[in-house]
Amino acid sequence: MELTEDQLHRYSRHIILPEVGGKGQKKILNAKVFIVGAGGLGCPVGYYLAAAGVGTIGMIDNDTVELSNLQRQIAHSTKKIGVHKVDSAKETFESLNPDVKVIGIKDRISKDNIKDLIKDYDIVVDGSDNFPTRYLVNDACVMLKKPLVSGAILRFEGQVTTILPGEGHCYRCLFEEMPPPGLVPSCQEAGVLGAITGVVGALQATEVLKLILGKGDVLKNMLLIYDALKVNFRRVKVPKNPDCPVCSDNPTITELQDYDAGYCRI
Amino acid sequence: MEDVRIDKKINIKGLICPYTFVKSKIAIEDMEVGEVLEILLDYEEASRSIPKSMEDHGHKVLKVEKINDTDWIIQVRKEKE
């Protein structure tokens, strides 16, 4: 595959980077990334990956755009209220960059569909808004050995970590079990400053692009915590747990399970 | 002076930065280590920036020469992948 004249222009600021070049840009164009959620995190992740030229972006979300989403979900717009989020995001990303094919799935991710959904993708990004999905995505990625870039946001804080199954920690090494629903902030408590989703989403997109390029370090065995009020980034070491219920040599979780709701979706 | 064997020539007259370097970099990426690329250009700033960028990328600049009122040639030997 040769880059076209338009592509040389579109990606010129990538190509002139020693770490990217024409060869790296072709890797990006050939990459397939699956994003869980087309909301606060899925929007900026997908936006930057589309701009970067990631050739295939899969996205799953069962929701439609609501007015209250637009304070942070930047792929959508006022005229898209009522439209499925994956359709709205597809139109935004494909009009930004015709090199990108967005495959939108209007469904909820579950133990029954997740493996089929992600199996043909190189990297998975978790932009979900609830713990059951976060654990399901982690467990499926560990079982299928898919690199996973996980992000989370709440109020003025964000977290990012990169899970490379077989090499580093997984989400259950960090938090073995889901917190009980009562400990998770209720809907009234769970606000978020919209711009935080952009910070965390851009960090996730950057992790994905470094994985595609094979350049630099990623957040393997590490959790990055951003505190916007204190303007502080902190990197915390997360060792792989030798007794992890899903990623250790003798896992106790060997089949996927759907967890009950009872959690507020932020 | 010993003549250098040129393995590939590109003409990027009419282009300005950063496309001068984009085209040069794409050309050298497709060559083998040890081969020499000759670039013909007419954008003065690139006659300085391309040699610098090529060296930053680890290649060897063999020649930068103004050949007439408007044009330069640059010869670069690929030193690494």
Side-chain angles (χ1 to χ4, degrees), chain A:
Chain A
M1 174 185 85
E2 291 302 314
L3 297 171
T4 64
E5 286 299 312
D6 275 357
Q7 288 174 324
L8 291 181
H9 275 71
R10 180 181 286 271
Y11 306 116
S12 59
R13 269 57 173 186
H14 274 169
I15 292 167
I16 60 181
L17 289 169
E19 293 81 359
V20 184
K23 287 179 181 170
Q25 187 59 49
K26 287 178 197 172
K27 286 185 191 172
I28 296 172
L29 285 162
N30 286 324
K32 295 179 172 185
V33 178
F34 190 84
I35 304 173
V36 179
L41 295 173
C43 284
V45 171
Y47 228 136
Y48 272 111
L49 294 184
V54 170
T56 307
I57 297 176
M59 279 193 121
I60 184 165
D61 202 308
N62 203 33
D63 290 343
T64 54
V65 177
E66 296 177 21
L67 186 57
S68 64
N69 301 148
L70 300 180
Q71 156 258 22
R72 65 197 178 284
Q73 300 184 14
I74 56 169
H76 313 309
S77 60
T78 308
K79 68 174 191 292
K80 298 277 186 60
I81 289 170
V83 173
H84 266 281
K85 286 185 181 178
V86 291
D87 290 338
S88 165
K90 178 182 169 73
E91 190 182 322
T92 303
F93 300 158
E94 290 183 348
S95 62
L96 169 65
N97 188 349
D99 290 341
V100 177
K101 184 179 178 207
V102 176
I103 300 166
I105 298 131
K106 295 165 212 163
D107 201 351
R108 284 194 69 79
I109 204 157
S110 72
K111 70 176 171 57
D112 299 318
N113 64 15
I114 186 167
K115 285 186 176 176
D116 268 347
L117 288 171
I118 67 175
K119 68 177 175 6
D120 294 328
Y121 288 85
D122 305 314
I123 299 168
V124 177
V125 177
D126 186 7
S128 68
D129 58 0
N130 63 87
F131 283 101
T133 302
R134 192 176 304 277
Y135 280 80
L136 178 68
V137 172
N138 175 76
D139 296 354
C141 286
V142 169
M143 289 174 191
L144 295 186
K145 300 201 179 330
K146 295 283 178 191
L148 166 64
V149 180
S150 186
I153 42 106
L154 183 65
R155 301 189 190 120
F156 289 86
E157 275 190 28
Q159 298 181 351
V160 186
T161 189
T162 295
I163 291 158
L164 302 180
E167 290 185 38
H169 78 298
C170 84
Y171 204 79
R172 285 187 190 271
C173 297
L174 182 59
F175 306 112
E176 191 167 318
E177 294 294 333
M178 271 185 277
L183 283 184
V184 176
S186 70
C187 297
Q188 288 82 0
E189 294 167 318
V192 60
L193 191 76
I196 302 283
T197 58
V199 175
V200 172
L203 286 166
Q204 287 180 281
T206 308
E207 291 285 287
V208 169
L209 292 169
K210 287 185 297 178
L211 287 172
I212 294 169
L213 293 167
K215 299 289 180 186
D217 299 327
V218 293
L219 288 164
K220 181 177 80 172
N221 292 332
M222 269 184 281
L223 177 71
L224 182 70
I225 301 169
Y226 171 53
D227 180 338
L229 289 177
K230 293 195 166 72
V231 208
N232 185 37
F233 278 96
R234 200 155 46 101
R235 248 177 20 174
V236 181
K237 281 187 186 164
V238 183
K240 185 172 163 63
N241 175 5
D243 300 318
C244 174
V246 69
C247 81
S248 66
D249 292 338
N250 298 300
T252 53
I253 298 170
T254 53
E255 283 184 17
L256 295 176
Q257 44 192 305
D258 286 324
Y259 301 96
D260 277 340
Y263 289 92
C264 173
R265 298 171 63 227
I266 297 161

Side-chain angles (χ1 to χ4, degrees), chain A residues 2-3 5 8-9 12-13 15-18 20-23 26, chain B residues 15 17-19 21-23 25-26 29-31 56-57 78 81:
Chain A
E2 291 302 314
L3 297 171
E5 286 299 312
L8 291 181
H9 275 71
S12 59
R13 269 57 173 186
I15 292 167
I16 60 181
L17 289 169
V20 184
K23 287 179 181 170
K26 287 178 197 172
Chain B
L15 292 184
C17 291
Y19 305 105
F21 184 59
V22 169
K23 284 284 193 180
K25 184 171 173 179
I26 294 286
E29 272 186 9
D30 290 337
M31 297 168 65
D56 287 347
H57 278 58
K78 180 166 179 168
E81 277 302 329

Side-chain angles (χ1 to χ4, degrees), chain B residues 3-58:
Chain B
D3 267 352
V4 174
R5 189 172 69 94
I6 308 297
D7 297 287
K8 187 194 275 189
K9 290 185 178 184
I10 58 169
N11 178 347
I12 56 168
K13 286 173 67 165
L15 292 184
I16 61 167
C17 291
Y19 305 105
T20 45
F21 184 59
V22 169
K23 284 284 193 180
S24 305
K25 184 171 173 179
I26 294 286
I28 208 162
E29 272 186 9
D30 290 337
M31 297 168 65
E32 302 295 328
V33 170
E35 290 186 335
V36 175
L37 171 67
E38 184 174 279
I39 306 158
L40 173 65
L41 65 148
D42 61 3
Y43 187 64
E44 182 176 6
E45 190 195 327
S47 72
R48 294 184 296 271
S49 62
I50 289 178
K52 181 177 183 310
S53 298
M54 284 293 179
E55 301 224 313
D56 287 347
H57 278 58

